[in-house]
Amino acid sequence: MSEATKAVVKDVTTMASPVSLKFRARAGKDLSRFLRGMKERRIVGRVCPSCNYVYVPPRGACPTCGCPMGDERVLPETGTITTFCIVNIPFEGQKLKPPYVCASVLLDGADVALFHLVGGCDVNEVRMGMRVRAEWVDEADAELSLETIRYFVPTGEPDRPLAQIREHI
Amino acid sequence: MSTFNTSREEIAIVSFVELSPAEASQLDEIETIQTIVSRATDGAGIARDRIGFTVSGSCDMLVGRPFSWIMAMDGAGVSKPIEESHVEMDGAWALYEAWVRLQHGDIDAALIYCFGANAAEDLMQVLALQLDPYYLAPTGINAAEVAALQASAMLASGATERQFAEVAVRAGLAVSVEAALAEPYLHRPLRASDLPRFSDGAAAMVIARGDYARSVCARPAWIQSMAHIADGHSLGARDLSKSPSLEKAARLAGVGAKATQIVEVHAPFGPQEVIALEALKQAGLSADAKVNPSGGTRAAQSVMVAGLAAIGRAASAIHRGEASRTVGHASSGPALQHNLIAVLEERS
Amino acid sequence: MKQRCAVLGIGQTHHAAKRGDLSMSGLVREAALRALDDAGMTFDEIDAVVMGKAPDFFEGVMTPELYLADALGAAGKPVFRVHTAGSVGGSTAIFATHLVTSGIHKRVLTLAWEKQSESNAMWALSPKYPFSPPTTAGAGGYFAPFVRAYIEFTGAPEHIGWQVAYKDRIHALKNPYAHLQMPEITIDMVKNSPVLWDPIRYLETCPSSDGAGAMILVSEDVAEASGKKVAWVHGTANRTEAILYPRRNQVLPQAGSDCAKALYKEAGITDPKREIDTAEIYVPFAWFEPMWLENIGLADANDGWKMVDSGDTMLGGRQPINPSGGVLSSNPIGASGMLRFLEAAHQVRGTAGEHQVEGAKKALGHAYGGGSQYFAMWIVGAEKP
């Protein structure tokens, strides 16, 4: 590089090296059935034939027993918030405008909590033990996705005592 | 100055299963792991509570999301905490970690599993991300083109395209040498029959010590030794027509100490098999050893699985009583950069 | 049977939000060369290299141990890559230890690193992957609900989080390698910082760093022949559990307490509260300090926050926790576990410098990863085990 060029060209310290990759994602057998249920606005869990725990969303195998899942079980739309956080921070790819609430929701009859959003109330009203129900998107907008549940909203029932949810955080 | 000692404990491969590409393509990662792990343990009469260590191999870049192996682990049934590890490498290196762990003599058995997803639209482009990110990857060269550079270097140092074609026939990727040579070049001097056919896949293995190995397996495949060595990375700084790392690993593992009947080689590109066999011969591999009697892994290549599969198949030949000494080879990286050797034996 | 293993060399980079002066190769070499120099060795004497780091998506390099073999003098040697999420730095050191304790190698270079500035970590962690719930809220959003549960169930006052955050930044001022250097830090600053993931405040979270840590692990004969002060490995343990199963305790995971129990058994420790002089534990959010103290038995159930409140965990306190400033002051993700392990080794060698815990004879290194499901720990001592 000539002295004249050096005078106008700064040292190279970084270079952009963009990478773009495309993948085909596969939902698998069990999750596919759950997602088809979502499109019909139904919550379809699965029962482990060995430990009898009810999983939702169902997984390809029972993490407790390591065996394939058993029968389907349609679950009610109601449940209890076991714990939550209020997201105040904006970040790339975020779909909702902060503040919003992310919560673990233990559906009635399920043995694992579902991580989802809470809406329909002020973020500061959300409590551990609060009773909620699924608020669905319109039938026409139902997708093969958990996003077919728009969020969970308070039912107004009395809270469940903390002692009852302690094991389901 | 440097030290490389081999096995102090009696350790054997007692169980090995792989999933067919057709079956693997129907399952997600959790279902895949559930299937192979239960076949390799329960299916082989191995009690889960005798397994003291579990280790898996996989690569997020094949699946397209970070931490892909964490969900997959659900298939192994681990609500009670286990001693566990994961390598972002071919399952063959997971086997190596398990083999090292069993050397301590305090646990009886270890479970190894691995999975590879053929989910990328262009896997040759994904594999190119293994290259030096500053000097090589930005050139846009893909993995097949790197292999073509290597094949060219081989031709320049005396190899022939006929040799490549013979490898293609052995792998079931061409009906005859003439047919292979009649194919057009895809990445000169590579033809379609020199390239791997990528597939979904998964494999699981159980290794065990001494008496426990004998109690669960009629003919355990004893791991006489294992060794792995990497070459340098920079393509310009290597003689691509040779594999010094494979030759060194094979010497350290004692490949030439006794006659070997079967060798299962994991070379993703056909010409690399020629290099691998030459390196193994330099290290004393029997000239009459059968090469890839299983058909090899190139016709259905599941990345991160194929290396463990080659070793597993070498073990299965002993399990079935078809051989008393076999060698399994696994490789990794651009232009066969990293190589692992397992020497397996039957013992009375 | 099992051979003894010692830490002969320790090295780390100066951690920073962006080490724009170094490539990835340069970053790992800075740590490796310092560790070799500390051990009085060169790359030629190393038998094997064991590398760890978090997802390849962070830098966009797949299986980077292959490309980095050149920078680490590893051509012609075994190179290994471990990946167990956030615990990887610990798991990597444990496998490297096993290479020595199994008698296979005598001199192993182990190293863990992350160069987060080369990519966008938030993007790498949250790709547009179908089927997943719409609630991805980053690591803080994942862990904040468990912090809330801890506070709810123990009745801990909110100033505990502020106090841990303040303490680790004060400790970092004594560690020239730490990323965050905040001489102006006060408890009020933490208290007044914005709530990002309620109940977690901005200054209660870790930074995002470029950095690497390295150690030279050697066999007993090599350690003795060196004539140097070494840290002896008294025990290692790792435990893993699934991310979600019924009645899983994500606040105090069983994998963490099982791991600690196995560790103490191997290291011959019966009273960890008294026998361990100091611990470096993986605390990316301030509230994880009291949680992990309870989980690994350094505090009784529900009492972790009281131990923090009493000042016991400050340098000069009864059992200083994270005298280096911890993950709250430097977080090159894949390296963070290795830094915990090597800082523990520094303490028992007496080479920690300004953040030395006086007279430390036994120290614990701890790392965790995934959804609080991967745990890796070790105990090192000034004397042979």
Side-chain angles (χ1 to χ4, degrees), chain C residues 154-173:
Chain C
T154 61
E158 62 177 339
H159 71 259
I160 297 300
W162 313 337
Q163 203 165 320
V164 172
Y166 167 76
K167 175 206 64 158
D168 281 1
R169 274 49 176 270
I170 290 291
H171 286 175
L173 295 174

Side-chain angles (χ1 to χ4, degrees), chain C residues 216-377:
Chain C
I216 312 296
L217 301 180
V218 299
S219 57
E220 185 172 5
D221 55 329
V222 175
E224 287 185 335
S226 74
K228 289 173 184 276
K229 175 87 177 141
V230 299
W232 293 96
V233 180
H234 285 220
T236 63
N238 64 51
R239 287 294 182 277
T240 301
E241 66 186 35
I243 193 164
L244 188 68
Y245 59 85
R247 291 164 181 77
R248 174 168 187 237
N249 186 341
Q250 295 215 60
V251 181
L252 302 173
Q254 195 189 337
S257 53
D258 281 12
C259 187
K261 276 180 205 146
L263 178 72
Y264 299 148
K265 189 178 169 204
E266 186 171 317
I269 285 186
T270 52
D271 186 356
K273 294 191 191 76
R274 281 174 191 79
E275 290 175 66
I276 293 167
D277 298 304
T278 179
E280 284 277 344
I281 61 180
Y282 200 110
V283 176
F285 303 102
W287 280 96
F288 276 75
E289 177 167 307
M291 286 159 64
W292 292 150
L293 289 174
E294 292 179 29
N295 194 222
I296 64 176
L298 296 184
D300 290 332
N302 301 320
D303 278 358
W305 67 269
K306 292 176 195 159
M307 185 171 160
V308 172
D309 210 22
S310 70
D312 280 357
T313 66
M314 294 271 309
L315 260 173
R318 183 180 60 78
Q319 194 171 40
I321 302 296
N322 293 329
S324 70
V327 179
L328 282 173
S329 303
S330 314
N331 185 33
I333 298 179
S336 289
M338 179 81 65
L339 296 176
R340 307 284 69 72
F341 277 45
L342 68 78
E343 287 288 352
H346 261 316
Q347 290 292 345
V348 299
R349 289 198 321 180
T351 51
E354 267 196 83
H355 62 280
Q356 177 69 44
V357 174
E358 210 176 315
K361 294 279 183 257
K362 280 185 189 173
L364 182 148
H366 162 282
Y368 88 99
S372 297
Q373 59 185 139
Y374 290 86
F375 292 85
M377 305 178 198

Side-chain angles (χ1 to χ4, degrees), chain B residues 87-143:
Chain B
V87 300
E88 195 86 352
M89 304 180 88
D90 187 289
W93 277 267
L95 165 63
Y96 187 84
E97 180 166 352
W99 176 75
V100 170
R101 180 64 189 82
L102 280 197
Q103 300 295 334
H104 294 80
D106 58 330
I107 56 175
D108 293 327
L111 167 69
I112 299 108
Y113 65 83
C114 56
F115 64 97
N118 186 25
E121 190 174 80
D122 182 354
L123 196 46
M124 290 297 183
Q125 186 203 358
V126 173
L127 290 171
L129 294 178
Q130 293 185 313
L131 295 165
D132 180 323
Y134 303 102
Y135 292 110
L136 288 173
T139 64
I141 190 170
N142 76 16

Side-chain angles (χ1 to χ4, degrees), chain B residues 142-341:
Chain B
N142 76 16
E145 290 156 357
V146 171
L149 277 178
Q150 183 167 36
S152 295
M154 293 170 70
L155 295 176
S157 63
T160 63
E161 293 186 30
R162 174 163 283 273
Q163 280 178 293
F164 301 169
E166 285 164 3
V167 171
V169 172
R170 187 158 62 216
L173 294 171
V175 291
S176 67
V177 168
E178 286 66 34
L181 290 172
E183 289 173 21
Y185 292 119
L186 283 184
H187 306 279
R188 188 167 184 169
L190 297 185
R191 301 175 162 91
S193 58
D194 296 318
L195 305 184
R197 307 281 194 274
F198 291 120
S199 76
D200 293 306
M205 179 184 279
V206 175
I207 63 173
R209 276 194 316 126
D211 289 342
Y212 184 64
R214 289 181 197 94
S215 75
V216 294
C217 183
R219 269 191 297 266
W222 297 99
I223 302 173
Q224 185 61 26
S225 58
M226 284 181 81
H228 70 103
I229 297 288
D231 286 313
H233 178 75
S234 175
L235 298 176
R238 293 167 59 188
D239 177 351
L240 294 177
S241 71
K242 293 187 175 64
S243 179
S245 62
L246 175 50
E247 185 180 331
K248 183 172 178 183
R251 283 186 196 282
L252 287 168
V255 164
K258 285 188 204 164
T260 296
Q261 289 109 40
I262 286 174
V263 59
E264 290 284 347
V265 177
H266 166 221
F269 295 88
Q272 294 174 340
E273 191 170 308
V274 177
I275 295 179
L277 287 171
E278 181 56 32
L280 284 163
K281 279 187 187 133
Q282 290 296 322
L285 177 75
S286 314
D288 59 353
K290 272 188 237 163
V291 179
N292 293 353
S294 74
T297 55
R298 217 146 50 77
Q301 173 94 186
S302 179
V303 180
M304 300 295 152
V305 175
L308 186 70
I311 296 167
R313 292 172 189 190
S316 297
I318 290 177
H319 294 159
R320 292 192 300 262
E322 293 166 7
S324 59
R325 192 177 200 258
T326 63
V327 169
H329 161 247
S331 66
S332 161
L336 218 59
Q337 190 193 337
H338 195 183
N339 292 281
L340 181 148
I341 288 290

Side-chain angles (χ1 to χ4, degrees), chain A residues 5-51:
Chain A
T5 316
K6 274 185 190 167
V8 290
V9 179
K10 287 185 181 154
D11 287 346
V12 176
T13 57
T14 58
M15 61 181 183
S17 183
V19 174
S20 171
L21 305 173
K22 284 188 182 167
F23 295 90
R24 290 177 299 274
R26 187 187 300 145
K29 288 190 253 185
D30 285 12
L31 190 55
S32 295
R33 284 156 81 166
F34 170 79
L35 294 170
R36 279 186 215 111
M38 278 288 120
K39 192 155 172 66
E40 297 162 7
R41 301 196 298 177
R42 292 190 308 147
I43 305 172
V44 184
R46 295 286 288 274
V47 187
C48 169
S50 170
C51 63

